[in-house]
Amino acid sequence: MSDAKSAREMLVEVATDVKWIRGSLDEIKETHDELEGRVRELEGWRREQDAAGNSSDRRESRFSLGALFLRFLGL
């Protein structure tokens, strides 16, 4: 008996893998969109704080680094 897979078995396996990859990518996109929204909310909050005169240089630098890090990771 041969260990080689038939073309049909290989296609079924590839189709299953593609479905799994697409599902994983959809989850990643949802997480990315959620994190991007959170970053935008924080940026809006920071602008409000700046407008109110309640900003701190240290807090701003931390936030900027955090946002930069998230964007660097593509999240």
Side-chain angles (χ1 to χ4, degrees), residues 4 7 13-14 18 28 33-34 38 44 49 52 55 59 62 65 74:
E13 186 176 340
V14 168
V18 168
I28 291 169
D33 291 343
E34 178 184 328
R38 292 170 69 182
Q49 295 298 312
S55 65
R59 187 180 330 153
R62 278 191 205 158
L65 287 175

Side-chain angles (χ1 to χ4, degrees), residues 38-54:
R38 292 170 69 182
V39 168
R40 287 182 186 178
E41 287 177 17
L42 287 171
E43 288 172 344
W45 175 81
R46 188 178 78 181
R47 279 191 293 275
E48 289 175 8
Q49 295 298 312
D50 288 346
N54 297 330

